[in-house]
Every structure is written in C-alpha cells, then in structure tokens.
C-alpha cells in the first residue's frame, strides 16, 4: 500500500507511510483530511512526531496503568468489595 501510494502521489516513503498509517487508523478522517488539503492547498504533516506530545502520552499512559494496577490489586485483596451494595452508606 505504501509503495502504491508513493507511485500515485509522487511522494517520499515517510510521507506515504504516514498517510497509510493515518488511513488504516481511521479511513473516514483520512478522506476528510485529503479533501480539505485539496481544497485549501495546505498539506498537514503526518510524519513528524512532536516530542512534547509523545512524552505527555507516555506519562498519562503510565499513570493510567498504575491506577488500573492499584485498583485490581485492591479488588484482589478485598479492600474493595463488590459483593455488598455500599452505594448509599453515606446516608446511614
């Protein structure tokens, strides 16, 4: 798919790979992006990764994994008990 895109569009391998990655992730958004690029003449860079964004994604992913791991550990040890309905204990 990348080589075919390169041949049809006359672009380099990185640009073709970025477009195919974007297409396989969400074809409808890719088509809308292509139409917008054709209309405005402005090409969006799908190859370059912003280092700040990559670090933020890694940090948030790490925090989410830590939270899920702690939750699972507390369920396994019995600190969090789903067998009883404690939803309205604050009213007692």
């Amino acid at each position: 798919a990348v080589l075919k895109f390169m041949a049809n569009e006359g672009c380099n391998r990185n640009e073709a790979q970025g477009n195919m990655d974007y297409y396989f992730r969400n074809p409808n958004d890719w088509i809308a992006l292509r139409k917008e690029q054709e209309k405005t003449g402005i090409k969006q860079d799908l190859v370059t990764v912003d280092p700040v964004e990559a670090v933020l994604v890694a940090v948030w992913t790490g925090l989410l994994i830590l939270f899920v791991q702690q939750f699972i550990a507390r369920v396994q040890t019995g600190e969090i008990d789903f067998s009883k309905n404690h939803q309205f204990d604050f009213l007692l």
Side-chain angles (χ1 to χ4, degrees):
V2 173
L3 297 176
K4 184 177 177 182
F5 190 88
M6 286 172 59
N8 290 340
E9 297 294 321
C11 61
N12 64 21
R13 186 174 185 93
N14 285 339
E15 186 177 344
Q17 184 69 54
N19 274 282
M20 289 296 92
D21 288 346
Y22 194 83
Y23 174 79
F24 292 136
R25 192 176 319 122
N26 191 339
N28 292 329
D29 282 350
W30 182 81
I31 291 170
L33 176 67
R34 292 284 292 187
K35 287 183 180 181
E36 185 70 24
Q37 287 176 353
E38 289 172 4
K39 189 169 81 172
T40 62
I42 300 171
K43 291 184 100 177
Q44 183 176 354
D45 184 13
L46 300 175
V47 178
T48 307
V49 177
D50 181 19
V52 173
E53 187 175 330
V55 169
L56 288 174
V57 167
V59 168
W60 279 111
T61 303
L63 290 172
L64 181 63
I65 289 171
L66 180 65
F67 175 76
V68 169
Q69 183 269 333
Q70 288 293 317
F71 178 76
I72 291 171
R74 289 181 180 177
V75 169
Q76 287 177 340
T77 60
E79 282 184 60
I80 299 174
D81 186 12
F82 290 110
S83 62
K84 299 176 186 173
N85 188 1
H86 297 289
Q87 185 175 1
F88 299 105
D89 280 353
F90 65 91
L91 296 175
L92 297 176

